[in-house]
Amino acid sequence: MAWDACGVVVVGSGAGFGGDGRRDLVFVSYSRDDAEWAQAFTGFLKPLVRVRRLRLWIDTANIRASEEWHPELDRAISQSHLALVLVSARYLRSDFIMETELPALIDNGVRLAPVLVGDCLWRRVPELERIQWLDDPGRHGALGLVADQVGERDRRLVGAVGSTATTVRG
């Protein structure tokens, strides 16, 4: 098992990935423009990764240079139990995410665990509007609204991470 700098378990097409039918990955779905939020969540998830032997999949840690990324993405989705979905206007404007990645997660029966990181029209996306969010966007708003308030931002990140632990167990 290999770890990246954020504590993400690095998995790839090698041994233990892709052939044993396990669905124990937590897939991080985000827009590349929201990479700072993905990094923040993976950092906060590190204790869960360590203690629970949780396997986290994020493209920047799990797809190496020269690898074909689409088969790796498909393989990760097929092994995922849960997807941490970091929603923002950038996420919703991505044709790849909305037409390929999000439908693949849903079609593979991956449980979606969305967190609103930036204000957007998420209520206009039926796949997101009808499910329970980790951090109630209707009550709390987007995490991006408190990005410069480190204490509040971190409190909400910890809350969402705690919800992730509950979701993974459930």
Side-chain angles (χ1 to χ4, degrees):
M1 181 178 316
W3 300 78
D4 79 349
C6 292
V8 176
V9 176
V10 178
V11 293
S13 56
F17 184 73
D20 59 9
R22 288 185 297 164
R23 291 183 57 115
D24 62 348
L25 288 179
V26 174
F27 184 95
V28 181
S29 179
Y30 70 102
S31 164
R32 285 286 178 111
D33 293 330
D34 292 323
E36 71 279 2
W37 288 110
Q39 185 175 10
F41 271 97
T42 58
F44 273 94
L45 284 167
K46 185 173 182 171
L48 293 177
V49 170
R50 208 181 279 130
V51 172
R52 299 180 185 282
R53 301 289 185 245
L54 178 73
R55 295 188 325 142
L56 208 60
W57 194 94
I58 186 166
D59 60 349
T60 56
N62 296 108
I63 299 177
R64 295 179 195 100
S66 81
E67 285 185 334
E68 292 185 33
W69 62 271
H70 207 278
E72 291 300 320
L73 185 77
D74 290 341
R75 192 176 356 264
I77 289 172
S78 73
Q79 287 204 342
S80 293
H81 165 71
L82 178 74
L84 177 60
V85 181
L86 305 181
V87 181
S88 69
R90 299 170 195 168
Y91 185 87
L92 298 182
R93 88 169 165 230
S94 169
D95 291 335
F96 179 79
I97 290 171
M98 298 308 295
E99 295 170 7
T100 303
E101 186 173 296
L102 188 60
L105 288 164
I106 293 166
D107 291 347
N108 278 276
V110 178
R111 292 176 66 188
L112 303 181
V115 176
L116 189 64
V117 297
D119 276 333
C120 61
L121 298 175
W122 64 270
R123 286 186 174 96
R124 301 280 189 225
V125 180
E127 299 86 350
L128 298 175
E129 194 274 331
R130 66 177 169 239
I131 60 175
Q132 181 66 40
W133 288 54
L134 289 180
D135 187 54
D136 184 355
R139 190 170 73 203
H140 298 128
L143 280 170
L145 297 174
V146 295
D148 59 344
Q149 301 168 26
V150 177
E152 177 63 14
R153 180 203 64 208
D154 289 355
R155 183 188 68 75
R156 290 191 43 205
L157 281 170
V158 167
V161 166
S163 295
T164 301
T166 302
T167 303
V168 168
R169 272 188 261 131

